[in-house]
Amino acid sequence: MADVSIRNVTKKFGKTEVIHGISCDIRDGEFIVILGPSGCGKSTLLRLVAGLEEISSGEIAIQSRVVNALEPADRDIAMVFQNYALYPHMTVYKNMAYGLKMRRMAKDEIDRRVRNAARILELSELLDRKPRQLSGGQRQRVAMGRCIVREPKVFLFDEPLSNLDAKLRVQMRLEIRKLHEDLKITSIYVTHDQVEAMTLGDRLVVMDNGYAAQIGSPLDVYERPATMFVAGFIGSPAMNFLKAKVSADGRSAVLSGAVRTQLSEGGLPAWAGQEIILGVRPEHLELNGHPTDGIQLTVDHVELLGADTLVHGRFGEYHTSLVARLPEVHRLQKNAMITFSIPPAKLHPFDPETKKRVAG
Ligand SMILES: Nc1ncnc2c1ncn2[C@@H]1O[C@H](COP(=O)(O)OP(=O)(O)OP(=O)(O)O)[C@@H](O)[C@H]1O
Ligand SMILES: [Mg+2]
């Protein structure tokens, strides 16, 4: 096991810089998830840690040892890819043993490691099967088994579940978490799936276009997103962003030219009289008994999800669109009126210029 330190790392492909100075200290035994949309640089960052790409500037250290110049094979890491090609003509046992055999490890040590990994992954009964005789999830477990037998210091995962169907993904997600709790191997896991990230990670690195927009625990990132990008990326449906004007005393704000809403304790005195963006998550809008007090939404359409209901509509002078998530079934017709209030503590203020969270 090992800690991994990423220090001001950049990566250029030709003249184009795709990783712009990322720093992150990963603790021994920690499970870190790198989360972000397609093309933001997740795989590149992981490949830099693995040594599959050379870094352009900065430093990566594993267990306090700078590894910039080390070959992948000398870094004591194991990587699980999205396309984990197993050898089709080899049994499960041989697939797991192959890498160790190549390293000329003693036969009985190989046997011990393979059987141990098979036990952990519940593959013991399947050791004589060929990959084509396995389900997708079982194949994925064999791919992880190949990594476990190496007893690496660090595990790297690049979207290992994206080829599986939704149900299997949920199951494998739980298995990976359990595996981590058993083995406590420092892990870096890349995904664009926010649910995977929230449930697996001790901490998340949310990437935006080659930058680390925020590094924090899943709840930190959900409750105090540092930028509008992070706020919009985490949470489903996405956070509503409302243009607002802060009152002269900084204690309230007017939404969509018409609706006054209280700001949380202390208000935003530094923003008195100015335009700001207020974010509110669909699940934090509250149905309001007072039809004239709060956001009067004209319903466009509703989505009945079974357990809860998504209400899409418009409100205020500028017909601002808004989505609310209600925790029960509401059959609302188009153009119905429904009133919401926003608990002040659930407002997320952002600077309209920098798109960063405003203190307060
Ligand atoms: N070998 C390369 N040469 C040039 N550009 C590259 C190379 N590899 C990646 N890139 C570019 O770097 C950026 C980041 O790519 P990367 O593969 O890290 O994204 P990602 O976040 O993993 O995306 P995805 O979710 O689609 O896998 C992209 O713009 C990509 O086109
Ligand atoms: Mg990728």
Side-chain angles (χ1 to χ4, degrees):
M1 290 199 280
D3 44 42
V4 177
S5 185
I6 299 170
R7 299 172 195 145
N8 209 5
V9 163
T10 68
K11 174 65 185 173
K12 282 183 186 165
F13 288 112
K15 288 201 171 112
T16 318
E17 192 174 273
V18 299
I19 301 286
H20 312 292
I22 290 188
S23 296
C24 180
D25 277 315
I26 300 167
R27 291 186 287 272
D28 188 13
E30 195 174 19
F31 200 114
I32 285 275
V33 175
I34 301 175
L35 175 68
S38 184
C40 70
K42 305 180 295 295
S43 297
T44 304
L45 185 60
L46 200 69
R47 291 168 62 80
L48 292 171
V49 175
L52 298 170
E53 300 282 357
E54 210 176 309
I55 66 180
S56 303
S57 69
E59 214 168 64
I60 294 177
I62 299 176
Q63 234 174 11
S64 311
R65 173 173 171 226
V66 176
V67 297
N68 286 20
L70 284 190
E71 291 293 317
D74 300 325
R75 293 190 184 194
D76 229 340
I77 48 176
M79 187 151 168
V80 187
F81 296 93
Q82 174 180 349
N83 296 314
Y84 47 89
L86 300 176
Y87 300 108
H89 57 287
M90 289 186 194
T91 62
V92 167
Y93 185 101
K94 285 190 173 158
N95 262 287
M96 290 204 273
Y98 186 72
L100 305 181
K101 209 170 139 197
M102 288 292 104
R103 284 156 197 253
R104 301 180 191 286
M105 188 176 283
K107 255 205 170 122
D108 47 350
E109 176 62 10
I110 294 179
D111 192 63
R112 183 191 70 76
R113 290 191 182 195
V114 169
R115 290 190 191 280
N116 185 42
R119 187 182 48 78
I120 294 167
L121 294 165
E122 294 176 27
L123 292 168
S124 301
E125 310 295 309
L126 307 174
L127 286 172
D128 296 328
R129 296 227 192 140
K130 300 268 175 69
R132 69 181 140 75
Q133 299 166 306
L134 301 175
S135 73
Q138 289 165 340
R139 271 181 235 158
Q140 184 63 36
R141 273 186 268 157
V142 177
M144 279 194 274
R146 277 199 309 209
C147 293
I148 292 174
V149 294
R150 291 185 39 204
E151 301 184 353
K153 286 196 193 126
V154 182
F155 264 141
L156 305 178
F157 299 89
D158 194 352
E159 312 231 14
L161 307 185
S162 51
N163 283 347
L164 305 179
D165 68 41
K167 196 167 156 217
L168 204 49
R169 266 208 312 267
V170 174
Q171 189 188 332
M172 287 303 297
R173 196 169 83 206
L174 293 172
E175 286 181 17
I176 289 178
R177 185 68 223 181
K178 197 166 125 262
L179 191 68
H180 180 71
E181 273 153 26
D182 290 346
L183 301 177
K184 294 269 187 302
I185 294 178
T186 312
S187 301
I188 310 179
Y189 186 104
V190 161
T191 183
H192 61 269
D193 181 323
Q194 50 161 311
V195 179
E196 234 169 81
M198 298 292 282
T199 52
L200 279 173
D202 295 320
R203 281 191 301 157
L204 314 184
V205 177
V206 187
M207 285 190 63
D208 176 8
N209 228 336
Y211 291 93
Q214 187 167 6
I215 302 178
S217 75
L219 275 186
D220 267 356
V221 169
Y222 175 82
E223 286 174 352
R224 288 190 65 80
T227 67
M228 283 177 69
F229 172 83
V230 175
F233 194 73
I234 306 262
S236 174
M239 185 183 280
N240 296 289
F241 293 116
L242 310 171
K243 283 190 190 152
K245 187 159 185 209
V246 180
S247 65
D249 64 3
R251 290 177 180 280
S252 63
V254 172
L255 305 173
S256 195
V259 181
R260 183 166 298 278
T261 192
Q262 289 303 308
L263 298 173
S264 64
E265 223 176 311
L268 293 167
W271 287 80
Q274 295 183 62
E275 302 269 335
I276 199 166
I277 293 185
L278 293 176
V280 60
R281 297 196 181 279
E283 59 271 35
H284 291 151
L285 287 158
E286 287 180 354
L287 264 183
N288 185 336
H290 302 280
T292 54
D293 185 15
I295 294 180
Q296 291 179 278
L297 195 75
T298 307
V299 174
D300 283 331
H301 65 280
V302 297
E303 293 173 274
L304 297 174
L305 301 182
D308 34 38
T309 305
L310 302 185
V311 183
H312 301 256
R314 287 159 290 117
F315 77 98
E317 201 125 306
Y318 312 132
H319 305 286
T320 306
S321 23
L322 188 81
V323 184
R325 180 180 202 126
L326 299 172
E328 56 278 301
V329 174
H330 288 267
R331 295 175 193 281
L332 295 162
Q333 300 297 322
K334 186 172 163 64
N335 293 327
M337 298 285 281
I338 180 170
T339 313
F340 293 100
S341 56
I342 308 177
K346 300 293 187 190
L347 281 171
H348 300 264
F350 294 102
D351 183 326
E353 294 289 316
T354 64
K355 317 279 185 216
K356 288 190 175 149
R357 189 183 191 89
V358 167

